[in-house]
Amino acid sequence: MEISDKAKKSMESLGLTNYEIRVYTSLLFAGSNTASEISKKSGVPYSKIYDVLNSLYVRGWIYSDNQRPQNFFPKSPSNAVEAMMIEMENNLRSNKNVIINELMPIYEKTGLKEKPDIWVVSGLYNIAIKVTEIIQSTKEELLIAIPKIPENVVRSIQPVLRELFDKGVKIIILASDETNGDTVKAMSRVAEVRLKNDMFGGGVIGDSKHVLILLGEGKNDVVNSYDTIAIWAEHTGLASFAKDYFQYLWQDAKK
């Protein structure tokens, strides 16, 4: 009898070797055996059997008696796994302390700060650049929600959308029902388009991970004036939330 491949892979993930798995499962089915019998039943060479048995003993998977010849017994899988978890936690804690104590002072001297998950983008020009980056990096699905679409904006992104369309990217656009008819026709050549009343805000979602959400106007402390602002993130959680809201608006929008 043998255990499943799934069980073998789980044991391997805990750090057991192929020989160790074969020896332990051999004992598990037999109940107890001598080293010679274990070698025959598991297929592990006799020249290796004591090294493997010793490793399993140290790691808490087997135990033995003091008879002659010596017999080996399997410990229960639950106890063996628990012992390995304790060993792994101790090793992780020890390695963590070494890494932090030695490397953190080096990191702190550089003066670096970790990048935030979400960025604030201000100014129409900067927002347009970030939107273009998201569009160009999309490989499978692009969702766009725009309350008002100026003609010049449509003309500028049309070639990029056409290129994505030709590559097989699914493009879905939700626009205000006040959008010019010719603009809607132009977008419909490369995307599925629906129109919705009273749209406010907007945004772009690329491949369910890149997201930019328009927030409207906010104060720019640098020049002490108000400017268009948006938030941008490469964050699957935020993108998933934004996509759910997009689909909610899409359901009752007009084709």
Side-chain angles (χ1 to χ4, degrees):
M1 297 178 65
E2 290 189 1
I3 61 174
S4 67
D5 289 340
K6 185 177 181 180
K8 288 179 183 177
K9 289 180 180 179
S10 294
M11 295 175 76
E12 287 174 352
S13 70
L14 291 178
L16 269 67
T17 66
N18 181 48
Y19 279 179
E20 289 171 341
I21 294 171
R22 285 157 63 178
V23 166
Y24 178 75
T25 53
S26 173
L27 279 173
L28 204 58
F29 287 116
S32 67
N33 268 148
T34 63
S36 176
E37 291 170 332
I38 295 170
S39 175
K40 291 176 183 178
K41 292 183 178 180
S42 66
V44 175
Y46 189 74
S47 60
K48 302 283 188 183
I49 198 66
Y50 281 102
D51 288 338
V52 176
L53 288 168
N54 183 62
S55 176
L56 288 170
Y57 176 81
V58 170
R59 303 174 84 174
W61 285 81
I62 65 172
Y63 65 99
S64 64
D65 60 20
N66 294 318
Q67 303 298 317
R68 290 289 183 270
Q70 188 178 24
N71 284 287
F72 297 87
F73 306 83
K75 286 190 176 181
S76 76
S78 60
N79 288 341
V81 170
E82 191 68 30
M84 287 205 73
M85 288 178 63
I86 294 173
E87 179 187 7
M88 292 169 69
E89 287 173 359
N90 289 336
N91 288 337
L92 180 61
R93 193 176 297 110
S94 176
N95 291 329
K96 171 188 172 184
N97 291 335
V98 171
I99 292 170
I100 291 176
N101 291 337
E102 183 170 336
L103 302 187
M104 275 304 293
I106 300 173
Y107 175 80
E108 290 169 351
K109 282 182 180 179
T110 64
L112 294 172
K113 293 184 179 180
E114 294 184 25
K115 294 180 179 180
D117 289 333
I118 299 175
W119 296 78
V120 175
V121 185
S122 62
L124 285 174
Y125 178 76
N126 294 324
I127 292 172
I129 291 175
K130 185 55 64 177
V131 167
T132 302
E133 287 178 4
I134 294 175
I135 292 175
Q136 291 176 334
S137 66
T138 300
K139 305 296 183 185
E140 297 180 3
E141 181 185 64
L142 178 67
L143 309 180
I144 303 176
I146 312 178
K148 292 183 180 180
I149 310 177
E151 293 292 332
N152 61 330
V153 172
V154 176
R155 285 194 297 270
S156 65
I157 66 172
Q158 192 74 13
V160 182
L161 294 180
R162 166 57 67 179
E163 185 176 348
L164 290 185
F165 177 79
D166 291 340
K167 291 180 179 178
V169 176
K170 183 179 181 180
I171 304 172
I172 301 175
I173 299 176
L174 183 63
S176 167
D177 64 351
E178 298 177 358
T179 304
N180 179 277
D182 291 335
T183 300
V184 174
K185 288 181 180 178
M187 293 188 300
S188 298
R189 296 189 185 102
V190 295
E192 184 177 354
V193 182
R194 287 190 184 182
L195 306 177
K196 186 167 180 59
N197 294 323
D198 303 323
M199 278 194 64
F200 61 92
V204 179
I205 306 168
D207 289 336
S208 298
K209 62 178 180 179
H210 300 279
V211 58
L212 182 138
I213 302 174
L214 293 171
L215 301 179
E217 288 193 341
K219 188 173 182 180
N220 188 328
D221 294 329
V222 177
V223 295
N224 196 27
S225 64
Y226 286 85
D227 208 346
T228 304
I229 60 173
I231 59 173
W232 168 78
E234 186 176 347
H235 191 288
T236 54
L238 180 61
S240 176
F241 177 81
K243 184 175 179 178
D244 288 343
Y245 183 63
F246 181 95
Q247 290 173 337
Y248 168 77
L249 296 176
W250 181 263
Q251 292 304 317
D252 56 351
K254 296 184 298 183
K255 293 184 179 181

